[in-house]
Amino acid sequence: MSAAEGGGGGGARGGGLRGNPFFVLELPVTAGPREVEREAARLLGMLELGLAAAATYQTPLGPMPRRAEDVRTAAAALREPKRRLVAELWASGGVAAAAAPTTAAEGAQTGAATGAGAAAGGGDVRWPGALKATGWGPR
Amino acid sequence: MRDLFDLVRWSLMLARRRAWIARRDHRSAAFLFYSAVAGLGEIAAVTTALSLFVACLAIGAHGAAIVVAAIALVLILPGPLARHVAVPRGQHRAAYWLVMIDELGRAGAERPARLVAARAAARVGSSPEATAWLAALRKGRLDATETAVQAILAHGRGDRDDARALFTSLAAFADPAPEARELAAEWLALDDAERGAWAELVARGRLRARPGRGAHRSPDAIRHAKDPQPEAGEPLWPATSMTYLLEGVGARLLGDDDAPSDANLWLRWLEAPARRATWGLVREAIARGTSTTKVASRSTAPSTTTSTSTQTSSTTTGSTAPSTSAATPASPAGPPSAATAEAAADDRPPTALELALRAHAQALRDGTIEAVAAAAQAWDATASTPGLAIAVARRAIALGAAPDAGDRAMVELDEQIIGELADLIDQRALPLPALHARAPGSALLAAIARRARRELLTRLELTCDRIGDRTHEQRPIDAIDELRTFVAVRRAYEEAAAQGGPELERLAFPHVHAELLQWTVWLWNERKEHFLSHLVTAWLFERALAVGDAEAIELHGANGAIRIPGR
């Protein structure tokens, strides 16, 4: 899997923590081939019917959107021993459904990381329409 | 007579500008002196006109009195008419000609006229017709004034990013262009105020041009730019009453030591235009500024709480996660094997792999330097756990995979880890030297940094190659688009250098130098775009100094010292 695939912004991409096949299919790493096929078929059916229960899956990074393509990719990955082995390693940490931080907390952490804390730098005070109010327009 | 008139006008303008510079530098005596000179000059001009008018009436020369009154009105009215009637009504032609009359006799009068005409055009959306009309007025090469005109037109089209980039690029011109810089400074300050970017606004106000605007881009000036000369030169961005007010508001909001007092801020507010619109802002700044110290001392507590609660949340969820059903290690090393949720939730200590996965998830969630370094160190710890490789090999056999599948899976896992973390570093623009300093001995972090550095260099090289190819094929584009291209290259380079540190800049510079050198030569010799060529050369000289490339320093230093024709 390439770096770009691994770091994709959400949804299954066949590996890593975001698109881990076990997370996509909501299966334990002990699941055998038959369980994999059964679960994939069940999820595909649910997605086809547009059931909300199948629309997302849990990962350590929070819920990710699930598409039929993701389910097929996940099932294919688990059929191949080497890819399954890597997926098992990723899924073995006991963190699969660790809830993602709330948006507010995430925002606060991002701000701290970039040193761009809005409130600390007065960034929460703005002058909306400053250019317009001073004659820059457009009208 | 015309020269005398021009001299008086320039003296008044210079005195007003000097007064603002002194004001911003907190030199009260100089401010009072220049203000008095400007005020007395204006009073003298009005008194002279009035005296002449009254004298003519007194001696019964009514015709002469009418002529004096007409001349006085022609001298006084066009400027205000252009700014207060033609610009708000979007009449670019009228604005242009009124300013031309106002600036009658002044060399280069068309420069302020084009700026005011562009503002009028921008008020009604920078129509293609107005843009073409303004383009027809442009004579010769791209300079700071034309760049400001294009920035104003971009603003009129609603393209704020382009306007911001072009206005900002004025700082790099070896062209004093006081009117253009004044407009740019005000636009940038207002834009910052809209975005709440007060730190940028205040920092811009403190920038100095040594020995002066325009001359600050000579090789000598660049070479000595970092010398400690706190009061030398002049402000890079000229102050206006509005920028001065906004800088004060910004300083109060940021809690700066030299922030103006309440009285000083209200005085600035009185002097600035749009008082009704800025009333609330000034009140807010004063309210915030008063309580800055208290807020700062309290601010630590909430942020610690946020951080702690997040940590707690992740730890808790990590240990009770449903996915633990997918993870019960067969060995102490923690490889995958038969698992149950109960087993993972028991009291046994987490394995190295589990710790690494948790740290990895935390890094992806937080995106901070600390979290990425911790994840890399945790992954390094799994590499020194011999049980993991053995358990993976066993599992590979159990799955019926090829004999070397275990090894290949471990390599693949490394690739995925590096890929995910390198992507994260790229997305969050995390500085590589700071990361390295956090985990100096980490083998994984070194690999991640190599990947991230390669990505940064590839992206930068692609941007430069496009310019190189165009130069090679001698395929010209409009000068303002050439400037936009340079702004994009400079941004990519500076972002890469900021993220990759000096090591990356030393790798990147030779390529940028090779591609851009021919471009500057072509712009100067063939296209006669001297300001643009000089702007790029000065930047290359600056970067050559930063990386210590002796050959490039000599070459760009010599090119940058060539006098710009007609400046």
Side-chain angles (χ1 to χ4, degrees), chain B residues 237-257:
Chain B
W237 299 99
T240 64
S241 54
M242 180 52 81
T243 51
Y244 192 54
L245 168 67
L246 293 176
E247 282 165 18
V249 168
R252 285 296 292 257
L253 290 172
L254 296 167
D256 279 3
D257 291 341

Side-chain angles (χ1 to χ4, degrees), chain B residues 28-39:
Chain B
S28 303
F31 168 66
L32 287 174
F33 171 74
Y34 285 120
S35 298
V37 168

Side-chain angles (χ1 to χ4, degrees), chain B residues 118-186:
Chain B
R119 284 199 64 176
R123 284 297 292 258
V124 286
S126 304
S127 68
E129 182 267 327
T131 306
W133 188 82
L134 276 160
L137 288 176
R138 182 185 148 202
K139 294 176 191 121
R141 63 203 169 175
L142 180 78
D143 57 8
T145 303
E146 177 58 21
T147 304
V149 165
Q150 294 296 331
I152 297 167
L153 292 174
H155 164 82
R157 287 193 300 272
D159 191 345
R160 282 284 184 92
D161 290 341
D162 190 33
R164 191 179 304 121
L166 291 177
F167 272 133
T168 307
S169 74
L170 256 65
F173 272 88
D175 178 6
E179 295 95 350
R181 284 178 197 267
E182 209 167 83
L183 265 181
E186 191 156 307

Side-chain angles (χ1 to χ4, degrees), chain B residues 156-242:
Chain B
R157 287 193 300 272
D159 191 345
R160 282 284 184 92
D161 290 341
D162 190 33
R164 191 179 304 121
L166 291 177
F167 272 133
T168 307
S169 74
L170 256 65
F173 272 88
D175 178 6
E179 295 95 350
R181 284 178 197 267
E182 209 167 83
L183 265 181
E186 191 156 307
W187 189 95
L188 289 168
L190 290 163
D191 178 58
D192 286 339
E194 280 200 14
R195 296 183 296 126
W198 300 104
E200 281 176 47
L201 195 158
V202 171
R204 192 179 308 105
R206 289 180 181 145
L207 292 174
R208 312 287 299 188
R210 299 186 186 102
R213 289 190 284 267
H216 73 295
R217 297 307 291 165
S218 73
D220 266 355
I222 292 170
R223 205 186 287 271
H224 300 296
K226 292 218 163 75
D227 292 354
Q229 299 167 295
E231 294 303 322
E234 58 184 342
L236 179 59
W237 299 99
T240 64
S241 54
M242 180 52 81

Side-chain angles (χ1 to χ4, degrees), chain B residues 44-108:
Chain B
V46 172
T47 312
T48 309
L50 266 177
S51 308
L52 269 173
F53 179 69
V54 173
C56 289
L57 283 181
I59 60 170
H62 292 118
I66 291 168
V67 171
V68 168
I71 290 174
L73 286 177
V74 165
L75 290 176
I76 294 166
L77 280 183
L81 275 177
R83 285 166 184 83
H84 301 297
V85 179
V87 169
R89 294 171 69 86
Q91 295 168 336
H92 57 276
R93 284 191 176 85
Y96 177 82
W97 288 112
L98 282 167
V99 176
M100 287 298 278
I101 295 167
D102 188 47
E103 302 276 344
L104 199 67
R106 178 189 153 189

Side-chain angles (χ1 to χ4, degrees), chain A residues 1 3-4 6-8 15-18 23 27-30 60-61 81-82 84-86 88-101 105-106 108-110 113 120-139, chain B residues 88-89 119 122-124 155 160 183 187 190 193-196 198 242 254 277-278 284 288 310 317-318 321-327 336-339 353-354 357-358 360-361 364-366 368 392 395-396 399 401 408-409 412-413 416-417 419-420 423 427 451:
Chain A
M1 189 185 70
L17 284 178
R18 287 190 177 89
F23 300 159
L27 285 170
V29 290
T30 51
L61 307 171
K82 194 195 88 178
R84 174 175 175 130
L85 200 48
V86 177
E88 285 182 5
L89 284 164
W90 277 111
S92 64
V95 289
E106 219 168 26
Q109 289 190 351
T110 308
D124 55 336
V125 178
R126 290 184 170 83
W127 180 13
L131 283 156
K132 199 168 182 180
T134 48
W136 279 89
R139 284 192 301 203
Chain B
R89 294 171 69 86
R119 284 199 64 176
R123 284 297 292 258
V124 286
H155 164 82
R160 282 284 184 92
L183 265 181
W187 189 95
L190 290 163
E194 280 200 14
R195 296 183 296 126
W198 300 104
M242 180 52 81
L254 296 167
T278 51
E284 180 78 29
R288 294 288 185 106
T310 310
T317 48
S323 71
T324 48
S325 62
S337 68
L353 179 62
E354 284 170 345
L357 284 163
R358 286 178 199 178
H360 189 90
L364 293 184
R365 278 197 297 260
D366 292 0
T368 61
V392 169
R395 180 69 181 144
L399 286 170
R408 286 194 286 123
E412 177 79 27
L413 178 69
Q416 292 187 5
I417 296 161
E420 282 205 338
D423 262 12
Q427 284 160 15
R451 172 83 62 95

